[in-house]
Amino acid sequence: MHHPPPPQYRACEPPACAAAARGGAQGLRGMGWRVVLVWACGALLAWVPGAHALAQAGTPGIYTCTDSQGRRITSDRPIMECLDREQRELAPYGGVRRTIPPSLTADERAEQAAQAREQAAQQARLNEERRQDRALVARYKSAKEHDQERHNQLKAQHQAQAMIQQQTLSLQQERQALLAEMEFYKADPSKAPALLRHRLNDNTEQQASQQRRLAAQQDEVARINARFDEELKRLEQLWAAQRQPRPGR
């Protein structure tokens, strides 16, 4: 004789579970059908959470927020009235899936982009400083090596200056000879030969050019000394850091 399941079990039975319970009950007597029903319902309960999770992952969420007038708004898509404030996307089966921050205005986006560019520039400068530090300590192992390189570069500049000064001296001597020739035309310089006047003008221009070259060389010497002074300060810091014991040693 078939015994129908009690109401408390019928409440949780899906069609497949009820069919399995009835089929098993026909082959059992007394309390046997209850064992089959409990087993089937247990399997169903174990399966349901996974089904919920799969459905939740593929189901669009529900958006909710409180607008500027204090109204609570709910929608199946992002809410335009709350673009300037935080919104929450709720999962279909409860809980917050994600929090959507306020949308930025054009000015705010421009400011954010400018800040990002500044941060990137600062990071690039920091990376370049680190690269230069590594190059310095790799090139100069001691202050003696650094001083020798300074001496070599200044020597080339001093040689260039000496050459300019020699050329300037030759031009000055040439000018003295030209002026001596101009003494014959002191009373009326306009009667001096055109070639003589041209050579005097050319001599004046060449001496001015040599003076500009000499000033540039002097500026270069000052620049080299300033660079090596700055490098030496940085190297002393880097060498001191290298001498510090490393952690764990």
Side-chain angles (χ1 to χ4, degrees):
M1 179 177 179
H2 173 66
H3 296 279
Q8 64 268 28
Y9 290 104
R10 260 186 257 131
C12 70
E13 291 180 9
C17 182
R22 287 194 295 270
Q26 290 176 1
L28 296 174
R29 294 292 183 270
M31 298 297 291
W33 67 270
R34 293 186 177 87
V35 176
V36 175
L37 182 59
V38 170
W39 173 85
C41 287
L44 177 62
L45 292 174
W47 169 81
V48 167
H52 282 187
L54 290 175
Q56 183 172 343
T59 305
I62 301 171
Y63 297 86
T64 180
C65 70
T66 302
D67 68 6
S68 59
Q69 299 179 3
R71 298 177 302 175
R72 186 173 183 82
I73 305 176
T74 301
S75 175
D76 61 350
R77 65 196 64 191
I79 303 167
M80 297 298 295
E81 293 86 341
C82 292
L83 290 180
D84 62 340
R85 62 197 59 239
E86 185 179 275
Q87 303 186 41
R88 291 186 302 163
E89 182 184 1
L90 306 179
Y93 297 98
V96 178
R97 178 179 287 176
R98 62 171 174 151
T99 299
I100 304 173
S103 299
L104 300 178
T105 65
D107 291 341
E108 289 172 338
R109 287 194 298 271
E111 182 180 358
Q112 189 178 68
Q115 291 175 352
R117 288 193 298 270
E118 178 60 25
Q119 291 175 354
Q122 290 178 356
Q123 186 61 46
R125 287 193 294 269
L126 180 60
N127 293 339
E128 178 61 18
E129 289 175 1
R130 290 172 177 171
R131 186 195 66 78
Q132 291 179 358
D133 287 346
R134 290 193 297 268
L136 272 177
V137 295
R139 183 173 183 181
Y140 304 113
K141 306 299 183 183
S142 65
K144 183 177 180 180
E145 291 183 6
H146 190 255
D147 289 341
Q148 183 60 48
E149 181 62 23
R150 183 204 295 258
H151 172 76
N152 293 340
Q153 293 194 23
L154 290 177
K155 181 179 179 181
Q157 297 301 320
H158 291 154
Q159 289 174 345
Q161 287 183 19
M163 185 178 297
I164 292 171
Q165 290 170 348
Q166 182 62 39
Q167 292 171 349
T168 300
L169 180 60
S170 297
L171 288 170
Q172 289 173 349
Q173 292 173 348
E174 179 185 357
R175 186 174 185 80
Q176 291 298 323
L178 293 173
L179 290 175
E181 291 185 33
M182 285 293 295
E183 284 293 326
F184 294 105
Y185 309 100
K186 185 176 182 180
D188 189 0
S190 62
K191 294 182 179 180
L195 178 61
L196 179 59
R197 295 197 302 271
H198 174 75
R199 290 177 63 188
L200 271 171
N201 291 335
D202 184 63
N203 182 277
T204 300
E205 292 177 0
Q206 288 191 47
Q207 286 200 57
S209 175
Q210 294 301 322
Q211 290 302 314
R212 290 192 295 270
R213 289 180 57 197
L214 182 61
Q217 290 295 331
Q218 291 171 342
D219 290 343
E220 181 65 10
V221 167
R223 188 189 67 80
I224 291 173
N225 276 321
R227 176 169 63 86
F228 274 86
D229 289 343
E230 190 66 26
E231 282 183 356
L232 185 58
K233 291 179 182 178
R234 184 57 182 160
L235 280 168
E236 288 174 345
Q237 295 173 352
L238 296 173
W239 289 331
Q242 286 182 334
R243 291 191 294 267
Q244 293 292 331
R246 296 183 180 179
R249 290 191 176 183

